[in-house]
Amino acid sequence: MTSGPGPDVPPDDTASIARLYALTDGRTRPRHILSMHTVLGPGPRSPRGVPDESVQIVALCRQRSRPLVELAGTLGLHVTAVAVLVSDLIDAGALVLPIAETPGQDRETQTLLALSAALRRQWPQATAKAG
């Protein structure tokens, strides 16, 4: 009878890939436009029926607003998986994209991205026509 791998053997990468697949229900793209530097804050609702990682994301954002990449690093998860979870939490009202308080291009850009995401959520089948 053979024993399992010893403590010096690195964990199998396929196990972590399978875990991320299960965590995101196989989705690889978030519904919202999020960059690694997107700052997230707590929303008005509490998350319900979500994975433990999503609860941890909301708890971290309640301490202070955090960028997506910091959440991924803190949880030890791939940025894409965290982006999918964050997108779900935004839809559930558990997270928000705070608008920058300083005037200028950053605030305008963030406002337009938030508006665009809300329109896509409201009308997911709509397409833009030029001209």
Side-chain angles (χ1 to χ4, degrees), residues 23-40:
L23 186 63
T24 62
D25 293 328
R27 294 172 292 145
T28 58
R29 293 182 186 214
R31 285 183 294 280
H32 298 277
I33 297 172
L34 303 168
S35 76
M36 292 192 316
H37 305 291
T38 299
V39 176
L40 300 148

mmCIF file with all atom_site columns, all heavy atoms in Angstrom, residues 23-40:
data_model
loop_
_atom_site.group_PDB
_atom_site.id
_atom_site.type_symbol
_atom_site.label_atom_id
_atom_site.label_alt_id
_atom_site.label_comp_id
_atom_site.label_asym_id
_atom_site.label_entity_id
_atom_site.label_seq_id
_atom_site.pdbx_PDB_ins_code
_atom_site.Cartn_x
_atom_site.Cartn_y
_atom_site.Cartn_z
_atom_site.occupancy
_atom_site.B_iso_or_equiv
_atom_site.pdbx_formal_charge
_atom_site.auth_seq_id
_atom_site.auth_comp_id
_atom_site.auth_asym_id
_atom_site.auth_atom_id
_atom_site.pdbx_PDB_model_num
ATOM 1   N N   . LEU A 1 23 ? -15.690 27.344 -7.182  1.00 0.00 ? 23 LEU A N   1
ATOM 2   C CA  . LEU A 1 23 ? -15.979 28.589 -6.470  1.00 0.00 ? 23 LEU A CA  1
ATOM 3   C C   . LEU A 1 23 ? -16.739 29.578 -7.349  1.00 0.00 ? 23 LEU A C   1
ATOM 4   O O   . LEU A 1 23 ? -17.645 30.263 -6.886  1.00 0.00 ? 23 LEU A O   1
ATOM 5   C CB  . LEU A 1 23 ? -14.666 29.211 -5.996  1.00 0.00 ? 23 LEU A CB  1
ATOM 6   C CG  . LEU A 1 23 ? -14.730 30.439 -5.122  1.00 0.00 ? 23 LEU A CG  1
ATOM 7   C CD1 . LEU A 1 23 ? -15.415 30.120 -3.802  1.00 0.00 ? 23 LEU A CD1 1
ATOM 8   C CD2 . LEU A 1 23 ? -13.326 30.951 -4.860  1.00 0.00 ? 23 LEU A CD2 1
ATOM 9   N N   . THR A 1 24 ? -16.397 29.628 -8.626  1.00 0.00 ? 24 THR A N   1
ATOM 10  C CA  . THR A 1 24 ? -17.025 30.583 -9.549  1.00 0.00 ? 24 THR A CA  1
ATOM 11  C C   . THR A 1 24 ? -18.089 29.942 -10.423 1.00 0.00 ? 24 THR A C   1
ATOM 12  O O   . THR A 1 24 ? -18.574 30.566 -11.371 1.00 0.00 ? 24 THR A O   1
ATOM 13  C CB  . THR A 1 24 ? -15.965 31.223 -10.455 1.00 0.00 ? 24 THR A CB  1
ATOM 14  O OG1 . THR A 1 24 ? -15.357 30.208 -11.243 1.00 0.00 ? 24 THR A OG1 1
ATOM 15  C CG2 . THR A 1 24 ? -14.920 31.966 -9.644  1.00 0.00 ? 24 THR A CG2 1
ATOM 16  N N   . ASP A 1 25 ? -18.452 28.722 -10.149 1.00 0.00 ? 25 ASP A N   1
ATOM 17  C CA  . ASP A 1 25 ? -19.425 27.975 -10.960 1.00 0.00 ? 25 ASP A CA  1
ATOM 18  C C   . ASP A 1 25 ? -18.987 27.887 -12.420 1.00 0.00 ? 25 ASP A C   1
ATOM 19  O O   . ASP A 1 25 ? -19.801 27.933 -13.331 1.00 0.00 ? 25 ASP A O   1
ATOM 20  C CB  . ASP A 1 25 ? -20.817 28.589 -10.878 1.00 0.00 ? 25 ASP A CB  1
ATOM 21  C CG  . ASP A 1 25 ? -21.428 28.453 -9.495  1.00 0.00 ? 25 ASP A CG  1
ATOM 22  O OD1 . ASP A 1 25 ? -21.138 27.444 -8.815  1.00 0.00 ? 25 ASP A OD1 1
ATOM 23  O OD2 . ASP A 1 25 ? -22.191 29.337 -9.084  1.00 0.00 ? 25 ASP A OD2 1
ATOM 24  N N   . GLY A 1 26 ? -17.679 27.822 -12.627 1.00 0.00 ? 26 GLY A N   1
ATOM 25  C CA  . GLY A 1 26 ? -17.144 27.669 -13.974 1.00 0.00 ? 26 GLY A CA  1
ATOM 26  C C   . GLY A 1 26 ? -17.047 28.959 -14.765 1.00 0.00 ? 26 GLY A C   1
ATOM 27  O O   . GLY A 1 26 ? -16.602 28.959 -15.902 1.00 0.00 ? 26 GLY A O   1
ATOM 28  N N   . ARG A 1 27 ? -17.464 30.074 -14.169 1.00 0.00 ? 27 ARG A N   1
ATOM 29  C CA  . ARG A 1 27 ? -17.398 31.348 -14.885 1.00 0.00 ? 27 ARG A CA  1
ATOM 30  C C   . ARG A 1 27 ? -15.974 31.904 -14.847 1.00 0.00 ? 27 ARG A C   1
ATOM 31  O O   . ARG A 1 27 ? -15.293 31.790 -13.846 1.00 0.00 ? 27 ARG A O   1
ATOM 32  C CB  . ARG A 1 27 ? -18.365 32.359 -14.268 1.00 0.00 ? 27 ARG A CB  1
ATOM 33  C CG  . ARG A 1 27 ? -19.806 31.929 -14.473 1.00 0.00 ? 27 ARG A CG  1
ATOM 34  C CD  . ARG A 1 27 ? -20.772 32.798 -13.718 1.00 0.00 ? 27 ARG A CD  1
ATOM 35  N NE  . ARG A 1 27 ? -20.570 32.542 -12.290 1.00 0.00 ? 27 ARG A NE  1
ATOM 36  C CZ  . ARG A 1 27 ? -20.689 33.464 -11.356 1.00 0.00 ? 27 ARG A CZ  1
ATOM 37  N NH1 . ARG A 1 27 ? -21.009 34.689 -11.675 1.00 0.00 ? 27 ARG A NH1 1
ATOM 38  N NH2 . ARG A 1 27 ? -20.501 33.158 -10.095 1.00 0.00 ? 27 ARG A NH2 1
ATOM 39  N N   . THR A 1 28 ? -15.560 32.495 -15.938 1.00 0.00 ? 28 THR A N   1
ATOM 40  C CA  . THR A 1 28 ? -14.204 33.041 -16.018 1.00 0.00 ? 28 THR A CA  1
ATOM 41  C C   . THR A 1 28 ? -14.195 34.538 -16.255 1.00 0.00 ? 28 THR A C   1
ATOM 42  O O   . THR A 1 28 ? -13.128 35.138 -16.329 1.00 0.00 ? 28 THR A O   1
ATOM 43  C CB  . THR A 1 28 ? -13.408 32.366 -17.145 1.00 0.00 ? 28 THR A CB  1
ATOM 44  O OG1 . THR A 1 28 ? -14.095 32.562 -18.382 1.00 0.00 ? 28 THR A OG1 1
ATOM 45  C CG2 . THR A 1 28 ? -13.225 30.879 -16.883 1.00 0.00 ? 28 THR A CG2 1
ATOM 46  N N   . ARG A 1 29 ? -15.365 35.151 -16.395 1.00 0.00 ? 29 ARG A N   1
ATOM 47  C CA  . ARG A 1 29 ? -15.454 36.585 -16.632 1.00 0.00 ? 29 ARG A CA  1
ATOM 48  C C   . ARG A 1 29 ? -16.498 37.211 -15.715 1.00 0.00 ? 29 ARG A C   1
ATOM 49  O O   . ARG A 1 29 ? -17.614 36.708 -15.619 1.00 0.00 ? 29 ARG A O   1
ATOM 50  C CB  . ARG A 1 29 ? -15.843 36.877 -18.076 1.00 0.00 ? 29 ARG A CB  1
ATOM 51  C CG  . ARG A 1 29 ? -14.770 36.470 -19.036 1.00 0.00 ? 29 ARG A CG  1
ATOM 52  C CD  . ARG A 1 29 ? -15.161 36.825 -20.423 1.00 0.00 ? 29 ARG A CD  1
ATOM 53  N NE  . ARG A 1 29 ? -14.161 36.273 -21.321 1.00 0.00 ? 29 ARG A NE  1
ATOM 54  C CZ  . ARG A 1 29 ? -13.785 36.845 -22.423 1.00 0.00 ? 29 ARG A CZ  1
ATOM 55  N NH1 . ARG A 1 29 ? -14.338 37.972 -22.792 1.00 0.00 ? 29 ARG A NH1 1
ATOM 56  N NH2 . ARG A 1 29 ? -12.868 36.311 -23.176 1.00 0.00 ? 29 ARG A NH2 1
ATOM 57  N N   . PRO A 1 30 ? -16.135 38.314 -15.079 1.00 0.00 ? 30 PRO A N   1
ATOM 58  C CA  . PRO A 1 30 ? -17.135 39.018 -14.271 1.00 0.00 ? 30 PRO A CA  1
ATOM 59  C C   . PRO A 1 30 ? -18.126 39.758 -15.163 1.00 0.00 ? 30 PRO A C   1
ATOM 60  O O   . PRO A 1 30 ? -17.832 40.062 -16.316 1.00 0.00 ? 30 PRO A O   1
ATOM 61  C CB  . PRO A 1 30 ? -16.285 40.010 -13.464 1.00 0.00 ? 30 PRO A CB  1
ATOM 62  C CG  . PRO A 1 30 ? -15.054 40.207 -14.271 1.00 0.00 ? 30 PRO A CG  1
ATOM 63  C CD  . PRO A 1 30 ? -14.822 38.925 -15.024 1.00 0.00 ? 30 PRO A CD  1
ATOM 64  N N   . ARG A 1 31 ? -19.308 40.027 -14.640 1.00 0.00 ? 31 ARG A N   1
ATOM 65  C CA  . ARG A 1 31 ? -20.319 40.758 -15.400 1.00 0.00 ? 31 ARG A CA  1
ATOM 66  C C   . ARG A 1 31 ? -20.037 42.260 -15.432 1.00 0.00 ? 31 ARG A C   1
ATOM 67  O O   . ARG A 1 31 ? -20.575 42.974 -16.260 1.00 0.00 ? 31 ARG A O   1
ATOM 68  C CB  . ARG A 1 31 ? -21.706 40.509 -14.803 1.00 0.00 ? 31 ARG A CB  1
ATOM 69  C CG  . ARG A 1 31 ? -22.251 39.132 -15.133 1.00 0.00 ? 31 ARG A CG  1
ATOM 70  C CD  . ARG A 1 31 ? -23.657 38.959 -14.596 1.00 0.00 ? 31 ARG A CD  1
ATOM 71  N NE  . ARG A 1 31 ? -23.723 38.958 -13.154 1.00 0.00 ? 31 ARG A NE  1
ATOM 72  C CZ  . ARG A 1 31 ? -23.437 37.916 -12.387 1.00 0.00 ? 31 ARG A CZ  1
ATOM 73  N NH1 . ARG A 1 31 ? -23.037 36.786 -12.932 1.00 0.00 ? 31 ARG A NH1 1
ATOM 74  N NH2 . ARG A 1 31 ? -23.524 37.984 -11.073 1.00 0.00 ? 31 ARG A NH2 1
ATOM 75  N N   . HIS A 1 32 ? -19.221 42.738 -14.514 1.00 0.00 ? 32 HIS A N   1
ATOM 76  C CA  . HIS A 1 32 ? -18.891 44.161 -14.434 1.00 0.00 ? 32 HIS A CA  1
ATOM 77  C C   . HIS A 1 32 ? -17.478 44.385 -14.952 1.00 0.00 ? 32 HIS A C   1
ATOM 78  O O   . HIS A 1 32 ? -16.634 43.495 -14.886 1.00 0.00 ? 32 HIS A O   1
ATOM 79  C CB  . HIS A 1 32 ? -18.988 44.655 -12.992 1.00 0.00 ? 32 HIS A CB  1
ATOM 80  C CG  . HIS A 1 32 ? -20.364 44.530 -12.430 1.00 0.00 ? 32 HIS A CG  1
ATOM 81  N ND1 . HIS A 1 32 ? -21.341 45.467 -12.641 1.00 0.00 ? 32 HIS A ND1 1
ATOM 82  C CD2 . HIS A 1 32 ? -20.933 43.557 -11.684 1.00 0.00 ? 32 HIS A CD2 1
ATOM 83  C CE1 . HIS A 1 32 ? -22.445 45.094 -12.038 1.00 0.00 ? 32 HIS A CE1 1
ATOM 84  N NE2 . HIS A 1 32 ? -22.234 43.931 -11.455 1.00 0.00 ? 32 HIS A NE2 1
ATOM 85  N N   . ILE A 1 33 ? -17.230 45.592 -15.439 1.00 0.00 ? 33 ILE A N   1
ATOM 86  C CA  . ILE A 1 33 ? -15.883 45.961 -15.872 1.00 0.00 ? 33 ILE A CA  1
ATOM 87  C C   . ILE A 1 33 ? -15.085 46.310 -14.620 1.00 0.00 ? 33 ILE A C   1
ATOM 88  O O   . ILE A 1 33 ? -15.359 47.307 -13.953 1.00 0.00 ? 33 ILE A O   1
ATOM 89  C CB  . ILE A 1 33 ? -15.913 47.163 -16.831 1.00 0.00 ? 33 ILE A CB  1
ATOM 90  C CG1 . ILE A 1 33 ? -16.679 46.794 -18.090 1.00 0.00 ? 33 ILE A CG1 1
ATOM 91  C CG2 . ILE A 1 33 ? -14.499 47.608 -17.162 1.00 0.00 ? 33 ILE A CG2 1
ATOM 92  C CD1 . ILE A 1 33 ? -16.923 47.962 -19.025 1.00 0.00 ? 33 ILE A CD1 1
ATOM 93  N N   . LEU A 1 34 ? -14.139 45.452 -14.288 1.00 0.00 ? 34 LEU A N   1
ATOM 94  C CA  . LEU A 1 34 ? -13.316 45.640 -13.100 1.00 0.00 ? 34 LEU A CA  1
ATOM 95  C C   . LEU A 1 34 ? -11.854 45.512 -13.483 1.00 0.00 ? 34 LEU A C   1
ATOM 96  O O   . LEU A 1 34 ? -11.486 44.590 -14.209 1.00 0.00 ? 34 LEU A O   1
ATOM 97  C CB  . LEU A 1 34 ? -13.648 44.572 -12.048 1.00 0.00 ? 34 LEU A CB  1
ATOM 98  C CG  . LEU A 1 34 ? -15.104 44.480 -11.583 1.00 0.00 ? 34 LEU A CG  1
ATOM 99  C CD1 . LEU A 1 34 ? -15.321 43.207 -10.791 1.00 0.00 ? 34 LEU A CD1 1
ATOM 100 C CD2 . LEU A 1 34 ? -15.458 45.698 -10.756 1.00 0.00 ? 34 LEU A CD2 1
ATOM 101 N N   . SER A 1 35 ? -11.044 46.424 -12.989 1.00 0.00 ? 35 SER A N   1
ATOM 102 C CA  . SER A 1 35 ? -9.604  46.284 -13.181 1.00 0.00 ? 35 SER A CA  1
ATOM 103 C C   . SER A 1 35 ? -9.007  45.818 -11.859 1.00 0.00 ? 35 SER A C   1
ATOM 104 O O   . SER A 1 35 ? -9.690  45.783 -10.829 1.00 0.00 ? 35 SER A O   1
ATOM 105 C CB  . SER A 1 35 ? -8.978  47.619 -13.603 1.00 0.00 ? 35 SER A CB  1
ATOM 106 O OG  . SER A 1 35 ? -8.880  48.491 -12.503 1.00 0.00 ? 35 SER A OG  1
ATOM 107 N N   . MET A 1 36 ? -7.736  45.505 -11.883 1.00 0.00 ? 36 MET A N   1
ATOM 108 C CA  . MET A 1 36 ? -7.081  45.078 -10.655 1.00 0.00 ? 36 MET A CA  1
ATOM 109 C C   . MET A 1 36 ? -7.074  46.207 -9.630  1.00 0.00 ? 36 MET A C   1
ATOM 110 O O   . MET A 1 36 ? -6.992  45.971 -8.440  1.00 0.00 ? 36 MET A O   1
ATOM 111 C CB  . MET A 1 36 ? -5.654  44.618 -10.936 1.00 0.00 ? 36 MET A CB  1
ATOM 112 C CG  . MET A 1 36 ? -5.582  43.341 -11.731 1.00 0.00 ? 36 MET A CG  1
ATOM 113 S SD  . MET A 1 36 ? -3.947  42.590 -11.801 1.00 0.00 ? 36 MET A SD  1
ATOM 114 C CE  . MET A 1 36 ? -2.868  43.947 -12.110 1.00 0.00 ? 36 MET A CE  1
ATOM 115 N N   . HIS A 1 37 ? -7.175  47.441 -10.101 1.00 0.00 ? 37 HIS A N   1
ATOM 116 C CA  . HIS A 1 37 ? -7.097  48.597 -9.210  1.00 0.00 ? 37 HIS A CA  1
ATOM 117 C C   . HIS A 1 37 ? -8.456  49.149 -8.823  1.00 0.00 ? 37 HIS A C   1
ATOM 118 O O   . HIS A 1 37 ? -8.529  50.168 -8.136  1.00 0.00 ? 37 HIS A O   1
ATOM 119 C CB  . HIS A 1 37 ? -6.262  49.688 -9.878  1.00 0.00 ? 37 HIS A CB  1
ATOM 120 C CG  . HIS A 1 37 ? -4.919  49.198 -10.294 1.00 0.00 ? 37 HIS A CG  1
ATOM 121 N ND1 . HIS A 1 37 ? -3.940  48.859 -9.398  1.00 0.00 ? 37 HIS A ND1 1
ATOM 122 C CD2 . HIS A 1 37 ? -4.406  48.933 -11.517 1.00 0.00 ? 37 HIS A CD2 1
ATOM 123 C CE1 . HIS A 1 37 ? -2.873  48.433 -10.048 1.00 0.00 ? 37 HIS A CE1 1
ATOM 124 N NE2 . HIS A 1 37 ? -3.131  48.458 -11.332 1.00 0.00 ? 37 HIS A NE2 1
ATOM 125 N N   . THR A 1 38 ? -9.536  48.496 -9.250  1.00 0.00 ? 38 THR A N   1
ATOM 126 C CA  . THR A 1 38 ? -10.880 48.935 -8.885  1.00 0.00 ? 38 THR A CA  1
ATOM 127 C C   . THR A 1 38 ? -11.038 48.864 -7.371  1.00 0.00 ? 38 THR A C   1
ATOM 128 O O   . THR A 1 38 ? -10.786 47.828 -6.760  1.00 0.00 ? 38 THR A O   1
ATOM 129 C CB  . THR A 1 38 ? -11.948 48.057 -9.555  1.00 0.00 ? 38 THR A CB  1
ATOM 130 O OG1 . THR A 1 38 ? -11.814 48.153 -10.969 1.00 0.00 ? 38 THR A OG1 1
ATOM 131 C CG2 . THR A 1 38 ? -13.341 48.483 -9.150  1.00 0.00 ? 38 THR A CG2 1
ATOM 132 N N   . VAL A 1 39 ? -11.430 49.977 -6.781  1.00 0.00 ? 39 VAL A N   1
ATOM 133 C CA  . VAL A 1 39 ? -11.614 50.037 -5.329  1.00 0.00 ? 39 VAL A CA  1
ATOM 134 C C   . VAL A 1 39 ? -13.065 49.691 -5.014  1.00 0.00 ? 39 VAL A C   1
ATOM 135 O O   . VAL A 1 39 ? -13.988 50.186 -5.659  1.00 0.00 ? 39 VAL A O   1
ATOM 136 C CB  . VAL A 1 39 ? -11.256 51.439 -4.789  1.00 0.00 ? 39 VAL A CB  1
ATOM 137 C CG1 . VAL A 1 39 ? -11.529 51.530 -3.300  1.00 0.00 ? 39 VAL A CG1 1
ATOM 138 C CG2 . VAL A 1 39 ? -9.794  51.749 -5.082  1.00 0.00 ? 39 VAL A CG2 1
ATOM 139 N N   . LEU A 1 40 ? -13.230 48.845 -4.016  1.00 0.00 ? 40 LEU A N   1
ATOM 140 C CA  . LEU A 1 40 ? -14.562 48.367 -3.643  1.00 0.00 ? 40 LEU A CA  1
ATOM 141 C C   . LEU A 1 40 ? -14.861 48.728 -2.201  1.00 0.00 ? 40 LEU A C   1
ATOM 142 O O   . LEU A 1 40 ? -13.983 48.664 -1.341  1.00 0.00 ? 40 LEU A O   1
ATOM 143 C CB  . LEU A 1 40 ? -14.627 46.850 -3.820  1.00 0.00 ? 40 LEU A CB  1
ATOM 144 C CG  . LEU A 1 40 ? -14.360 46.407 -5.251  1.00 0.00 ? 40 LEU A CG  1
ATOM 145 C CD1 . LEU A 1 40 ? -13.682 45.081 -5.291  1.00 0.00 ? 40 LEU A CD1 1
ATOM 146 C CD2 . LEU A 1 40 ? -15.634 46.405 -6.022  1.00 0.00 ? 40 LEU A CD2 1
#
